[in-house]
Amino acid sequence: MDLIPAPHRMERATGFLELGDGFGIEAGPGTEDTARWLRATLGAATGLALPPKKGDEYDVLHLSVRPGLDAEAYRLVIAPHGVHIQGGSPAGVFWGAQTLRQLLGPDAFRRAPLPGRTWRLPLTEIRDSPRFRWRGLMLDVARHFMPKDGVLRYLDLMAAHKLNVFHFHLTDDQGWRVEIQKYPRLTEVGSWRARTKFGHRASPLWDEKPHGGHYTQDDIREIVAYAAERHITVVPEIDVPGHSQAAIAAYPELGNTDVIDTSALSVWDTWGINPNVLAPTDNTLRFYEGVFEEVLELFPSEFIHVGGDECLKDQWRQSATAQERIRELGLRDEDELQAWFIGHFDSWLAARGRRLIGWDEILEGGLAKGAAVSSWRGYAGGIAAARAGHDVVMCPEQQVYLDHRQDAGADEPVPIGYVRTLEDVYRFEPVPAQLTPDEVPHVLGTQANVWTEVMEDQARVDYQTFPRLAAFAEVAWSRLPAPAERDFADFERRMAAHYGRLDALGVAYRPPTGPRPWQRRPGVLGRPIDGSPPDR
């Protein structure tokens, strides 16, 4: 049975359970959402009505919460008379239902039944639970906007792989994507750019048509509710104090007005690290408090991501206003000024029952009390944070940035970064060996990141994300041996069946043999890096 991610324990018996028109669902307390999902999803694929039934009947799928199990754990038993899915929580039941769908075969991932198709399940018992509580995917919709339907589709793809945290990168220099009613110009002005660099920032090519879009607050509520039905938490990212030119273009007073004419700035149309950062003023703090007030109403997540990465400090060094603030606060330098800025929002969020998380640059100048770290510049930031008693999500760019190229071949579309093959991702280990047993629990989990500078549409996002996200999902869920001891040949064997599931879902993944002709981008400049990435 070719399950991905691989379950913790599985015992196969002889025979099958045939599913017919009389097959129904008994939904115990707390499992109603999973029953509804099964009827909508498997009902569409199989043509079976899956009506409510009682537990003493045959041909019943019994769904129940069993408190003795770990929260996301499940037990799936397929017997000759029916099926039982028990979960330690409603989430565990849902993950068991995802496994059940895989056991029905690739056609269970279609949206309508194929004629003449029969449905049967192998007699099996599976006991399973995840390794990490944070199994994330970050999607950047600021560089290239993904319409709402595409976001909902990615939530379904995450659920199919038992991923449970959607890191929603909503703002950057190139676009502001979430409606803030207090500040309408953030989307009126900040969500559109006049043109877009095509390829790496050194590319001479431009797409001259305007690009943009945003999600209304009702769109966000729908996305969050859709994710919650799939037991996925949406963690929004609102970038401060760098990666903020779109906001400054909309509200020039947010920038360093004593250094440059911020009223002349527009939403950025190219890539890279932008020098135009927020001014460290009380006005800026009050503005973003207003932004975060609406963000907290839209997103009930424990964590709120504030970015904090790649904040160039040249304008602060030149700004009399910034230098006066450094003196006023008794700070040593601009790094400590950024730490003060981040610390302000750490305290502000904590007072409202939330937790701040940011990229590992928030370590510079002193780590904000209570903050968690997304360790992206390798493992070092995560190690330092965990040793200081802070929680960490491991997402090192050298290992799990899915915008990095998948092969060294000349036909890879817009090759960026190091080669990270399917096998490389499968052998990624999220927990640094340098951590002590007391420090390891600070690793909340791991996350794959999809930055979309060179992904102009959904098909390009699919190509970069899949099939590597399947390997990442197994790393995040399954208790795998050490990287060198992992059975990649077995994973490849199981992927042969999983490609059929992805085909049924319409995912434009990279085939094992290389890109299809329409997936290539000949003549578009990338930024390949030769050799193996640093493992640090």
Side-chain angles (χ1 to χ4, degrees), residues 151-159 166 223 226-227 230 232:
V151 174
L152 299 178
R153 173 178 176 266
Y154 258 82
L155 291 170
D156 280 329
L157 292 172
M158 288 179 64
F166 181 55
I223 288 167
Y226 195 85
R230 287 147 184 80
I232 295 171

Side-chain angles (χ1 to χ4, degrees), residues 164-402:
N164 70 339
V165 178
F166 181 55
H167 177 164
F168 206 8
H169 184 79
L170 288 164
T171 74
D172 218 295
D173 301 302
Q174 297 85 0
W176 185 285
R177 304 295 179 216
V178 56
E179 176 191 17
I180 302 297
Q181 294 176 350
K182 188 174 184 178
Y183 306 119
R185 286 176 59 84
L186 286 172
T187 47
E188 291 171 359
V189 174
S191 69
W192 288 92
R193 57 180 182 262
R195 63 175 187 168
T196 299
K197 176 68 72 173
F198 193 29
H200 181 250
R201 61 180 175 271
S203 168
L205 304 176
W206 293 89
D207 182 347
E208 295 290 350
K209 67 177 181 291
H211 177 85
H214 74 275
Y215 310 103
T216 68
Q217 292 201 354
D218 280 345
D219 290 338
I220 294 293
R221 292 184 182 99
E222 179 183 357
I223 288 167
V224 169
Y226 195 85
E229 289 175 351
R230 287 147 184 80
H231 299 277
I232 295 171
T233 299
V234 183
V235 174
E237 179 176 350
I238 306 294
D239 274 279
V240 295
H243 287 289
S244 297
Q245 182 163 319
I248 297 169
Y251 291 91
E253 65 271 21
L254 295 174
N256 294 283
T257 57
D258 58 347
V259 177
I260 63 163
D261 178 9
T262 57
S263 65
L265 293 177
S266 58
V267 178
W268 211 26
D269 57 12
T270 190
W271 320 123
I273 303 177
N274 191 304
N276 297 303
V277 303
L278 297 173
T281 64
D282 290 343
N283 175 67
T284 300
L285 297 180
R286 300 293 88 75
F287 182 97
Y288 274 87
E289 286 171 2
V291 169
F292 283 117
E293 282 172 357
E294 296 191 28
V295 166
L296 295 191
E297 190 274 326
L298 294 169
F299 297 93
S301 55
E302 174 186 3
F303 289 96
I304 303 294
H305 208 291
V306 301
D309 61 313
E310 298 179 330
C311 178
L312 296 181
K313 301 179 177 65
D314 294 341
Q315 290 184 357
W316 286 357
R317 294 185 183 97
Q318 300 168 40
S319 166
T321 300
Q323 293 303 311
E324 175 59 29
R325 175 123 288 183
I326 289 174
R327 288 190 292 273
E328 168 196 321
L329 296 170
L331 305 176
R332 285 182 297 183
D333 55 21
E334 291 77 17
D335 283 344
E336 287 198 354
L337 183 61
Q338 177 170 341
W340 165 81
F341 197 107
I342 297 296
H344 172 85
F345 286 102
D346 177 52
S347 299
W348 189 91
L349 289 168
R352 289 154 181 81
R354 307 296 187 93
R355 294 183 64 189
L356 179 146
I357 186 169
W359 303 109
D360 55 53
E361 283 94 332
I362 67 173
L363 290 161
E364 297 168 3
L367 186 61
K369 182 182 178 182
V373 169
S374 299
S375 185
W376 75 275
R377 295 179 299 177
Y379 289 96
I383 293 169
R387 286 177 173 168
H390 293 266
D391 289 337
V392 180
V393 176
M394 297 303 303
C395 48
E397 65 167 327
Q398 303 90 339
Q399 311 298 330
V400 288
Y401 268 35
L402 300 185

